[in-house]
Amino acid sequence: QVQLVESGGGSVQAGGSLTLSCAASGFTVNAYFMGWFRQAPGKEREGVAGFCGGGGTAYADAVKGRFTISQDNVKNTLLLQMNSLQPEDTATYYCAALITPGPVCGSRYAGLNVAVWGQGTLVTVSS
């Protein structure tokens, strides 16, 4: 069964850290451009971080310097290390396997071509 399952969400105070994990099954993560997205209440889903090809990564301006995306090809898992969390980071976080690099990789990737979405994990940051 092809699926992505996120874990690691929860509640944390501002300034704290969380690590999200996304386990893939039915496919290998290194065959896709893996990425993280988030959706806050009342807002559209937005790209947070992603792999852009050749091992390169990109981040939304709002999380640069605080979040780090990584991929473990042996465990077939995608990770998102989130530091210095702020209340505005509160959202449901989704991992995704993309057929082409996501918009976070630059304006020439404006389209979103997702093969698999995870179910999401909620991150709540209190002030």
Side-chain angles (χ1 to χ4, degrees), residues 22-116:
C22 172
S25 58
F27 69 99
T28 55
V29 295
N30 61 3
Y32 292 87
F33 299 94
M34 300 300 296
W36 287 97
F37 296 77
R38 69 184 181 186
Q39 187 167 19
K43 295 186 177 181
E44 293 187 353
R45 191 172 298 189
E46 62 177 358
V48 174
F51 284 92
C52 306
T57 57
Y59 298 87
D61 288 343
V63 307
K64 279 181 182 176
R66 301 188 297 122
F67 290 13
T68 303
I69 187 173
S70 62
Q71 185 171 296
D72 186 329
N73 293 331
V74 174
K75 295 182 179 179
N76 210 29
T77 298
L78 183 72
L79 299 172
L80 185 68
Q81 174 67 45
M82 306 185 295
N83 297 325
S84 301
L85 283 161
Q86 300 301 316
E88 52 266 34
D89 295 316
T90 294
T92 298
Y93 285 72
Y94 301 87
C95 64
L98 291 83
I99 297 172
T100 54
V104 72
C105 294
S107 58
R108 65 174 172 161
Y109 302 114
L112 194 59
N113 197 358
V114 176
V116 185

Side-chain angles (χ1 to χ4, degrees), residues 113-127:
N113 197 358
V114 176
V116 185
W117 281 107
Q119 86 288 352
T121 186
L122 179 63
V123 172
T124 302
V125 185
S126 58
S127 57

